[in-house]
Amino acid sequence: MSETASPPFDDLRRLTGPNLYFAEPGAVLETMVGAPVAPALIDAWKRRIARARTALGWPDGPVTVREHASGASLAFAAPADGLYAAADVNEWAWLSALVEAGMDSGEPALQPGHPSLIDDDAALRLLRTVASAERLPHLPALRQAARAHRLPLLLDDEQLSIGLGSGSRRWDNRALPLPGEVPWPELHPIPLALVTGSNGKTTSVRLLTAIAIAHGWHTANSCTDGLYLDGALIEAGDYSGPGGARSLLRNRQAQAAILETARGGLLRRGLAVERADVALVTNISPDHFGEYGIHDLDGLAEVKLTVARAIDAQGMLVLNADNALLRRHATGLDAPLAWFSTDDEHPLLRQARSEGRRSCGVREGHLWLFDGSASHDLGAVADMPLTLGGLATHNLQNCAGAALTALGLGIAPATIAAVLARFGRDHRDNPGRLQRWILGGGVQVFVDYAHNPDGLAQFLSLVRQTRRDGGRLHLLLGQAGDRSDAAIAELAATAAAFHPDHVVLKDMDGYLRGRYSGEVAQLLRAGLVRNGLADAAIVQCLDETEAVRSILAAAGPGDSLALPVHGSAAREQVSALLDQLQARGWNPGDPLAGGDRSP
């Protein structure tokens, strides 16, 4: 028996909703062979999936093989109440295919409590027992009745719910009702938007939420900071995946929902819902390569555009016409498209208007929204606080995308315009995303999330545009530990290209993700020096808040401080500190607190 050079598979996931591979629940396994998978192995895996479906009484459905640089993603659709069994089936099908081919499966061929890798009949008997224990007998009839009533059904490990928000009811999985016991007249959906992309997701979610609240809806939203209702925090944490979405969509106070839909959740579990009214894709740029078989921009675009599976003929998929990757991938989508751009004369926007489709773009300094028949002036771009006088092009794109999405939810252009005219003026509107404080001595402090090379480049470009002659540039720099060494080096190269005078390296609290404290900072330092920055200009202060205090202590008149702050606790502390300094007229060299002049 030969041995493989690496473990036989890298990851096994349950897909609870529409996903990268198909529009149904299922399971996916990531092979770990470091090379293209032999067709004979794929065929053997497929035969076992087909045999398992027959043995378990599961219907036929999609079987998908997505080959990529590190192996292949092997996915198949399965019943929503059989996903643990489906994961076991996928693992058995792959490992037994390896054994049949004379390869090392990494597991004993016979192991108590596990499907046999050499006796298919015995394996299938065990898998039938697993699937039977997981099955929810009332689920098929409930799903059929929910579809007949045109109502969404959400299922997780513990609960099932029908309807959304204020029109929802939920039951424990082991106490499901019969269809005749469901109060169907009381149930209904609520307006629902999904927001994804590489950058700008949280800003867009917050802006959309403010617009929906102004429209009069009690609005729930999820993002990387937590779960919210009408802007009030329900639960802190990264809830940009389907678990957080389902929690919000079962909140009976919610009359509308805006859901941040991040790459990780899409790949690990898929979408939380089968249908949304609108889905917004802000942009696609390099980030998170090497995870779950995604190694390039085209693969990342496919992941983000999973949201298109939730958009039917009555819905709307909102895309950024300024993003070349989205333009290219849009050609294969069936969903009704609506485009936004910083140029209202962009060919895709002109085409949309000629076809009576919706669009949003900038013309003569104003943002114009086309509703399919008429154009609406949403106001001067320079007067929208998020754009910082029109300089923040990426936030102008966020405004246009959010405006178009709000229109798709049925919100009037006048309401959208009113929120665009005020949102971002108060630091509490969009904490941690492109905030500016002007302190004494002309010191400008910018706080942003800027978590990847594209986001950092946009952020530093804006800071450079507002920088005073002779003023120095101070930069806070860190990166999450789950990025590859190459990705960390790319972030350092991006930073070095803007020639900062002073860089403070930090850890990202809560985002070490397997690296030791200071490891990312060492990689960043090496990347900065390699790209021409003097080692003497770089210092290390791993605590985010203390790093910001050290930069403030080093600031001089006219300096610009670019502070990507990522931890939620650090963001709150930094914001409170900057508010205090601004209120008391702090000048460079003044103490930051009390009478102590030290950082």
Side-chain angles (χ1 to χ4, degrees):
M1 180 180 292
S2 63
E3 293 189 358
T4 56
S6 58
F9 70 90
D10 183 46
D11 187 70
L12 188 62
R13 308 189 299 280
R14 294 176 297 119
L15 302 167
T16 58
N19 52 77
L20 173 62
Y21 313 102
F22 34 71
E24 307 167 43
V28 60
L29 179 147
E30 298 293 340
T31 71
M32 192 171 179
V33 296
V37 181
L41 279 177
I42 298 297
D43 289 342
W45 171 80
K46 287 181 176 179
R47 287 197 304 272
R48 285 166 170 78
I49 296 299
R51 187 172 179 191
R53 279 176 164 166
T54 300
L56 274 58
W58 289 353
D60 288 337
V63 177
T64 300
V65 177
R66 183 182 179 275
E67 298 192 55
H68 51 75
S70 55
S73 304
L74 309 180
F76 71 99
D81 59 343
L83 298 184
Y84 284 99
D88 287 346
V89 166
N90 211 348
E91 180 179 4
W92 163 76
W94 175 244
L95 296 184
S96 60
L98 292 177
V99 169
E100 183 182 64
M103 301 174 69
D104 182 11
S105 71
E107 299 286 344
L110 292 172
Q111 187 176 180
H114 294 261
S116 170
L117 303 184
I118 56 175
D119 184 341
D120 288 357
D121 290 337
L124 292 170
R125 284 195 297 272
L126 178 58
L127 290 168
R128 273 196 298 268
T129 301
V130 173
S132 178
E134 190 179 357
R135 186 175 298 120
L136 302 174
H138 295 338
L139 179 61
L142 284 171
R143 188 177 294 280
Q144 183 178 6
R147 286 175 176 164
H149 285 85
R150 301 181 64 82
L151 288 171
L153 182 149
L154 307 180
L155 179 70
D156 58 30
D157 290 348
E158 298 178 356
Q159 293 185 321
L160 175 145
S161 59
I162 301 175
L164 299 179
S166 58
S168 69
R169 295 292 185 278
R170 57 177 140 178
W171 298 266
D172 289 341
N173 285 347
R174 295 305 167 185
L176 294 182
L178 293 168
E181 298 169 340
V182 175
W184 299 106
E186 299 175 19
L187 307 183
H188 58 77
I190 60 175
L192 172 60
L194 308 177
V195 179
T196 193
S198 296
N199 294 301
K201 295 185 296 295
T202 299
T203 293
S204 298
V205 165
R206 290 170 173 167
L207 177 54
L208 270 167
T209 300
I211 294 171
I213 292 171
H215 180 68
W217 289 327
H218 290 297
T219 305
N221 77 268
S222 63
C223 64
T224 51
D225 288 337
L227 304 177
Y228 295 80
L229 181 68
D230 290 340
L233 181 66
I234 298 172
E235 188 169 352
D238 186 346
Y239 285 99
S240 56
R246 281 191 292 267
S247 177
L248 274 190
L249 293 173
R250 289 168 173 165
N251 188 318
R252 295 193 61 206
Q253 298 180 66
Q255 297 173 322
I258 314 295
L259 306 178
E260 183 170 331
T261 307
R263 171 210 60 91
L266 287 170
L267 283 166
R268 285 191 295 270
R269 292 290 181 262
L271 290 171
V273 295
E274 293 181 355
R275 185 192 179 278
D277 297 288
V278 193
L280 164 64
V281 186
T282 59
N283 48 64
I284 307 291
S285 63
D287 200 9
H288 289 287
F289 290 156
E291 294 183 336
Y292 306 117
I294 304 303
H295 298 278
D296 55 32
L297 275 171
D298 286 314
L300 185 59
E302 291 172 6
V303 174
K304 301 291 187 180
L305 287 167
T306 298
V307 295
R309 294 191 185 276
I311 302 301
D312 61 19
Q314 285 70 51
M316 187 169 75
L317 180 62
V318 178
L319 301 179
N320 185 348
D322 297 335
N323 189 268
L325 205 64
L326 285 175
R327 293 196 303 269
R328 187 167 80 247
H329 280 264
T331 58
L333 300 175
D334 293 330
L337 302 183
W339 293 98
F340 66 92
S341 170
T342 54
D343 179 9
D344 201 40
E345 291 303 308
H346 190 288
L348 286 171
L349 274 68
R350 290 203 313 268
Q351 180 182 358
R353 290 195 295 272
S354 71
E355 296 174 354
R357 292 185 290 110
R358 296 163 176 174
S359 67
C360 190
V362 179
R363 184 169 72 248
E364 296 178 351
H366 284 234
L367 188 61
W368 288 87
L369 182 65
F370 183 70
D371 66 8
S373 59
S375 291
H376 304 269
D377 184 356
L378 298 182
V381 166
D383 294 337
M384 297 175 184
L386 275 183
T387 73
L388 291 185
L391 294 176
T393 302
H394 64 290
N395 263 355
L396 175 53
Q397 291 176 332
N398 290 334
C399 288
L404 196 49
T405 304
L407 182 70
L409 291 174
I411 300 175
T415 301
I416 299 169
V419 175
L420 290 176
R422 63 167 175 79
F423 187 85
R425 188 172 293 125
D426 189 319
H427 283 152
R428 293 170 294 184
D429 288 342
N430 196 26
R433 267 69 177 181
L434 196 57
Q435 297 173 283
R436 177 170 64 174
W437 285 260
I438 300 178
L439 306 179
V443 172
Q444 294 191 94
V445 183
F446 296 84
V447 173
D448 192 43
Y449 195 69
H451 68 294
N452 55 36
D454 188 59
L456 183 64
Q458 291 177 350
F459 179 44
L460 293 179
S461 178
L462 174 67
V463 173
R464 181 168 59 187
Q465 290 179 72
T466 64
R467 188 173 166 189
R468 294 191 174 190
D469 290 341
R472 297 183 302 160
L473 173 61
H474 304 256
L475 174 63
L476 176 66
L477 192 63
Q479 182 56 290
D482 60 352
R483 271 40 170 211
S484 66
D485 289 3
I488 293 170
E490 185 182 359
L491 188 76
T494 300
F498 287 85
H499 309 293
D501 300 280
H502 175 218
V503 179
V504 177
L505 302 175
K506 61 163 187 175
D507 274 343
M508 284 176 59
D509 186 33
Y511 294 89
L512 290 178
R513 294 172 176 169
R515 299 212 186 237
Y516 61 80
S517 179
E519 181 180 357
V520 171
Q522 292 176 11
L523 293 170
L524 287 170
R525 179 187 289 272
L528 290 167
V529 171
R530 189 163 54 248
N531 284 276
L533 208 65
D535 188 69
I538 308 166
V539 297
Q540 181 171 298
C541 183
L542 297 180
D543 180 88
E544 276 196 295
T545 304
E546 291 306 311
V548 169
R549 293 173 67 85
S550 74
I551 289 176
L552 283 163
D559 285 358
S560 295
L561 283 53
L563 309 177
V565 178
H566 300 98
S568 56
R571 186 186 66 213
E572 291 177 6
Q573 294 166 7
V574 168
S575 180
L577 173 62
L578 293 171
D579 284 344
Q580 293 169 9
L581 296 181
Q582 190 174 56
R584 75 171 195 243
W586 177 88
N587 283 281
D590 288 349
L592 298 178
D596 183 5
R597 301 180 74 89
S598 70

